[in-house]
Amino acid sequence: MNGVNGKYHQSLDGLAENPLRRTWRGNEQGTIELSSVPKFDDPYQEREWIKEHMAAAFRYWGKCGYGEGVSGHITVRDPVLPDHYWMNPFAEHFSTMTKSMLVLVDPDGYVSPHGAQLPINSSGFYIHSAIHKARPDVKAAAHCHSIHGKTWSAFGRPIDILTQDSCLFHDNLGVYQNFGGVVLAEQEGQNIANALGPKWKACILQNHGLLTLGNTVDEAVFLFGALDRLCQVQLLAESAEANGIRKSVISQEDAEFTAKTIQWWENVYVNFQPEYKLLLQETNGAFLK
């Protein structure tokens, strides 16, 4: 519909109620369907599926060049033992991750006997345990020290909604405006969890990096990569604006309209599947071991 000054604004009227269904078209007969997140009757089968996608997520981070020594961790709630979560082992490169290397962490932050018997990152425990306790609505959390994310984090500001992709973070992004040092205490983990609030799926940690959440590990990792790229976009736009080129921010109305489709968790999951399939081909499924 037309808005102020004759500007055209789209409406959700007449569109599919399911946000995923709005994004793709099949044949007229309705026999073509898009695959989404599988449903499991057996939590042990779901566990194996989660671990496969989690190992792929780390391989993706390796491709993106996100490795920074021992920093960086992804955790996913276990469907068999819901108060436990899977985590990457300490001091192992993202690019070498396999399903069998993943560690199952118990509620007290100790390595349980049900996964790989390898040490884990202490900071990862303090951050992720607080998030999993504070946000039972999500299953996965991802954090590492990517270049563009940690550079933009030095400003302690959210990103502007400058592009269609940035609408993923419209009213969906917190900022933790403090740096209390390397996270080695329970309180700092709680502070970070509080900065996410009750519904946001992303947070910029000042002088530190980025943190994203998801209903699946695929969602959390795609959001992380998208936010890092958007931090790069922001840095480029700020540089251009400093030289007199005015940037145009997407309107509240158009950002909200777009967010109501692209932020849907299944849509974000589907966005990661091309990367998952490519990793299967490139590695001959090595991360499934």
Side-chain angles (χ1 to χ4, degrees), residues 110-133:
Y110 294 106
V111 175
S112 85
H114 302 293
Q117 298 301 288
L118 296 168
I120 59 168
N121 187 305
S122 293
S123 294
F125 159 66
Y126 287 116
I127 295 171
H128 290 255
S129 63
I131 290 169
H132 285 294
K133 288 175 184 175

Side-chain angles (χ1 to χ4, degrees), residues 159-209:
I159 59 166
D160 294 324
I161 307 303
L162 298 176
T163 70
Q164 175 176 302
D165 297 329
S166 61
C167 294
L168 278 168
F169 303 100
H170 169 70
D171 194 25
N172 194 28
L173 177 65
V175 178
Y176 179 46
Q177 295 180 314
N178 183 57
F179 177 69
V182 62
V183 182
L184 295 175
E186 184 177 349
Q187 184 59 52
E188 186 68 355
Q190 291 175 355
N191 292 341
I192 291 170
N194 291 340
L196 279 158
K199 67 169 187 173
W200 292 332
K201 286 191 171 177
C203 191
I204 294 173
L205 312 181
Q206 184 176 296
N207 307 111
H208 190 168

